[in-house]
Amino acid sequence: MSAASCCLLAEDQFLCSICLDVFTNPVSTPCGHNFCKNCITEHWNSKVHCDCPNCKKVFDRRPELQVNTFISEMAAQFRQSAQQEASSSSSDQQAAKPGEVSCDVCTGTKLKALKFCLVCLASYCETHLEPHLTLSGLKRHQLINPVENLEGRMCTKHDKLLELFCKTDQVCVCMLCAISDHKTHDVVPLKEENEGKKAELGKTEAEIKQMIQKRQLNIQELKRSVKLRQRDVDREIAHGVQVFTALKEFVERVQAEFIKTIKEKQRTTEKQAENLIEALKQEISELKKRRSEIEQLLHSEDHLQLLRNFSSLNIAPPIKDWTEVSVCPPSYEGTLVRAAAQLEEMFSKKTKNLFEAELKRVQQYAVDVTLDPDIPHPCLFLSDDIKWVRDKDDDYYDYYEEVSLPDNSKQFDACCCVLGEQSFSSGRFYYEVQVKGKTDWYLGVARESVNRKGQISLTPQDGYWTICLRNENVYGALADPLVRLSLKSKPEKVGVFVDCEEGLVSFYDVDTAALIHSFTGCSFTEKTLPILPSWF
């Protein structure tokens, strides 16, 4: 039979239903089905009873098998034709590269596998995958992407394919595991469990997608914030350059004027010296002339001429007394001092302007501070609007000594101190306190967790950043030891500014816009509260 007539038959007529490949030594069973001789022999060797793999007919005894020469000839011709087609089509396919899964059927050059059959447990290239895509019996097989490690899909105990999932133990199992070790467990096909897991993963994916979108928005916000900060930086640098340029120009101008003044004094001195030298030279010339005339008379033999001119030449010429001749050096006293005073005045003016601008900038973070009614010492009295507090009368002190304090962890028991009700853990805030006419006070900020019992040290080490006035005229920043502050004037209103991110606490004299003191490098790892004088 020719290859042309062979091709008129269906392709599945030349395939063994056991190995799913073209017949090799085809034999026929008594029931009329054809198999590779080796395939059916191995099949019967693994069985107790001999049966037909297709129709399941059981034979009383193993049939004697003879090679069907007709089918064998047709299969050989079909194999030759298929190989010719495969060789022509394989030229368009890629050979498997190192690390890629190769086709298990290719006998020559191993082509790259496209799919793996979970039923046949084999990988197929495009050509050898064709039967699984066209033959009705093979279309039911489950195909997946090529797998390199087939052992990972096999049960290590029974060497069977992992086809089921035990929901009880949350493990993949084979058919034999399901009827033995997991007999009473909830076992489902992998596909069913896979769909459930995919549903869960879908929810997780949606949640992750939302998280990604949220973080992308955070990134955009951070970029926008950085961009805005960069504008602030550029503006601040430009303003700083402008200020320092003006100061530099003023310093250079004062320096030039200082040098000019010194040089002008030097030139005046030099002019005086030049005038004196000119006068001396004039007198020297006159004296030389007189000397010349006298020398002529001394060498003259004319007695009459000597006697006639003697009286005029013997008289001293009209000259100055140059015994104490000198040039008085210029006085530079006060020149440098006056130049320095100009600089100081200029710097003072510029500094005042800068402080005023700085104060206006921090005042935009002003907050309305109210007092926490649960914090003050019992000897303090809060107003109804909890905006101010003062000491109670002396009668209360007598009463207070006789009673015990209530158990309140937020309350100060020894220090007459009051904290603001508002707390801040990030950002910036600013508030002002009237201190006019007060002789002793302290104010600032404190951590929420500060110790409020017994004697308290209002220092940064204990969570307080405060300044104070003691004994009417001693200003200081409360640290260990106390930092004395030298102020030009007594502040009547103090502004407190806190930048939690920068770790900065600054105090300002609001009326003069002067910086009183700054704590830097502060650690605000928790909420921060304003701390106010008891008379606020």
Side-chain angles (χ1 to χ4, degrees), residues 243-393:
V243 171
F244 284 111
T245 300
L247 291 174
K248 180 181 177 182
E249 291 175 352
F250 183 77
V251 170
E252 291 175 348
R253 188 164 62 252
V254 172
Q255 179 184 7
E257 292 176 356
F258 168 74
I259 295 173
K260 180 181 178 182
T261 301
I262 297 297
K263 288 185 175 181
E264 285 179 350
K265 289 187 176 184
Q266 177 64 16
R267 281 195 294 270
T268 300
T269 303
E270 291 175 354
K271 186 65 176 176
Q272 292 174 355
E274 289 174 359
N275 292 337
L276 291 175
I277 291 171
E278 187 63 30
L280 286 169
K281 287 181 178 180
Q282 185 66 31
E283 289 192 359
I284 290 172
S285 179
E286 292 293 332
L287 291 172
K288 286 182 177 180
K289 183 180 178 182
R290 177 68 64 89
R291 178 185 176 188
S292 178
E293 292 175 351
I294 293 174
E295 287 180 348
Q296 289 178 3
L297 289 177
L298 288 174
H299 295 88
S300 176
E301 297 294 335
D302 188 348
H303 303 298
L304 177 61
Q305 184 181 5
L306 175 62
L307 293 174
R308 281 179 177 179
N309 295 323
F310 175 79
S311 58
S312 60
L313 294 175
N314 195 39
I315 300 174
I319 60 176
K320 295 181 181 180
D321 182 8
W322 297 97
T323 307
E324 300 295 334
V325 64
S326 64
V327 177
C328 182
S331 175
Y332 303 118
E333 283 76 8
T335 307
L336 183 57
V337 173
R338 286 189 294 273
Q342 284 183 282
L343 291 176
E344 183 179 8
E345 182 181 358
M346 177 63 176
F347 277 113
S348 178
K349 183 178 179 181
K350 286 291 185 182
T351 302
K352 187 176 184 342
N353 293 338
L354 290 174
F355 281 145
E356 288 176 351
E358 177 71 14
L359 182 59
K360 287 182 180 179
R361 185 165 63 179
V362 300
Q363 283 176 332
Q364 66 178 326
Y365 301 104
V367 295
D368 185 25
V369 176
T370 55
L371 308 178
D372 189 341
D374 295 331
I375 290 179
H377 189 281
C379 68
L380 301 179
F381 175 79
L382 291 179
S383 63
D384 293 336
D385 60 359
I386 57 175
K387 286 284 189 178
W388 57 268
V389 61
R390 65 172 175 81
D391 294 340
K392 293 183 178 180
D393 53 32

Side-chain angles (χ1 to χ4, degrees), residues 12-287:
D12 56 354
Q13 291 179 321
F14 300 102
L15 300 181
C16 172
S17 59
I18 297 177
C19 67
L20 301 177
D21 202 353
V22 179
F23 288 121
T24 301
N25 297 325
V27 295
S28 301
T29 60
C31 56
H33 295 108
N34 301 312
F35 305 95
C36 296
K37 184 176 182 181
N38 187 54
C39 291
I40 191 65
T41 301
E42 289 184 356
H43 176 73
W44 285 343
N45 289 339
S46 63
K47 297 284 187 176
V48 177
H49 301 286
C50 296
D51 62 352
C52 176
N54 285 355
C55 63
K56 304 302 181 183
K57 181 178 180 180
V58 179
F59 305 110
D60 295 336
R61 58 188 181 85
R62 178 178 294 197
E64 294 184 4
L65 301 175
Q66 299 293 331
V67 175
N68 190 322
T69 56
F70 175 74
I71 296 178
S72 177
E73 182 182 351
M74 293 181 61
Q77 293 181 6
F78 179 79
R79 183 182 292 105
Q80 182 180 2
S81 176
Q83 287 177 349
Q84 291 175 352
E85 293 180 2
S87 61
S88 61
S89 62
S90 64
S91 61
D92 298 329
Q93 301 182 48
Q94 295 181 352
K97 299 178 181 178
E100 294 180 339
V101 180
S102 60
C103 176
D104 293 328
V105 183
C106 291
T107 56
T109 301
K110 293 288 187 178
L111 300 182
K112 179 181 178 180
L114 297 183
K115 292 293 181 179
F116 177 82
C117 179
L118 292 176
V119 177
C120 305
L121 298 180
S123 299
Y124 298 100
C125 64
E126 181 179 356
T127 300
H128 295 111
L129 181 65
E130 185 67 21
H132 281 78
L133 302 178
T134 57
L135 300 182
S136 58
L138 299 180
K139 284 183 179 180
R140 293 191 296 269
H141 292 191
Q142 185 178 356
L143 300 176
I144 61 172
N145 290 331
V147 292
E148 185 174 3
N149 182 19
L150 179 60
E151 291 78 7
R153 292 180 170 270
M154 305 299 290
C155 175
T156 57
K157 184 176 181 181
H158 302 102
D159 198 26
K160 298 291 183 181
L161 188 67
L162 298 173
E163 302 179 80
L164 305 173
F165 183 81
C166 177
K167 301 180 71 173
T168 305
D169 293 338
Q170 292 292 302
V171 293
C172 297
V173 297
C174 68
M175 295 294 293
L176 295 179
C177 290
I179 61 177
S180 58
D181 299 340
H182 301 267
K183 183 177 182 179
T184 59
H185 294 178
D186 185 6
V187 178
V188 297
L190 288 181
K191 183 177 180 180
E192 179 181 335
E193 183 64 19
N194 186 61
E195 291 175 353
K197 288 293 190 289
K198 279 187 176 180
E200 293 181 15
L201 288 176
K203 294 180 180 179
T204 304
E205 181 189 18
E207 294 175 356
I208 293 176
K209 184 178 179 180
Q210 291 181 353
M211 294 169 65
I212 292 173
Q213 292 175 346
K214 183 177 180 181
R215 280 151 181 78
Q216 288 175 338
L217 291 176
N218 290 339
I219 291 175
Q220 294 177 2
E221 181 62 26
L222 287 173
K223 288 182 177 179
R224 189 183 70 83
S225 176
V226 169
K227 190 174 182 180
L228 292 176
R229 286 291 183 92
Q230 185 60 46
R231 293 177 184 174
D232 294 340
V233 168
D234 295 340
R235 183 171 58 251
E236 194 70 20
I237 290 176
H239 181 245
V241 170
Q242 182 181 3
V243 171
F244 284 111
T245 300
L247 291 174
K248 180 181 177 182
E249 291 175 352
F250 183 77
V251 170
E252 291 175 348
R253 188 164 62 252
V254 172
Q255 179 184 7
E257 292 176 356
F258 168 74
I259 295 173
K260 180 181 178 182
T261 301
I262 297 297
K263 288 185 175 181
E264 285 179 350
K265 289 187 176 184
Q266 177 64 16
R267 281 195 294 270
T268 300
T269 303
E270 291 175 354
K271 186 65 176 176
Q272 292 174 355
E274 289 174 359
N275 292 337
L276 291 175
I277 291 171
E278 187 63 30
L280 286 169
K281 287 181 178 180
Q282 185 66 31
E283 289 192 359
I284 290 172
S285 179
E286 292 293 332
L287 291 172

Side-chain angles (χ1 to χ4, degrees), residues 371-481:
L371 308 178
D372 189 341
D374 295 331
I375 290 179
H377 189 281
C379 68
L380 301 179
F381 175 79
L382 291 179
S383 63
D384 293 336
D385 60 359
I386 57 175
K387 286 284 189 178
W388 57 268
V389 61
R390 65 172 175 81
D391 294 340
K392 293 183 178 180
D393 53 32
D394 294 337
D395 293 339
Y396 180 83
Y397 287 108
D398 295 337
Y399 168 75
Y400 169 67
E401 292 177 356
E402 299 176 0
V403 298
S404 60
L405 291 175
D407 185 13
N408 185 347
S409 61
K410 296 175 62 178
Q411 192 175 67
F412 291 88
D413 62 357
C415 177
C416 292
C417 185
V418 60
L419 299 179
E421 190 171 23
Q422 293 76 19
S423 62
F424 307 88
S425 57
S426 62
R428 306 175 179 92
F429 66 93
Y430 171 87
Y431 68 94
E432 295 179 350
V433 182
Q434 280 283 358
V435 295
K436 182 180 180 180
K438 306 304 177 181
T439 57
D440 288 274
W441 50 262
Y442 54 85
L443 56 91
V445 294
R447 292 197 190 105
E448 188 177 40
S449 63
V450 291
N451 177 36
R452 309 182 188 196
K453 306 302 180 182
Q455 295 299 321
I456 299 172
S457 174
L458 303 180
T459 62
Q461 292 84 352
D462 293 324
Y464 295 89
W465 293 270
T466 57
I467 62 172
C468 68
L469 168 63
R470 294 177 179 174
N471 302 325
E472 299 187 17
N473 59 1
V474 178
Y475 293 92
L478 292 175
D480 190 13

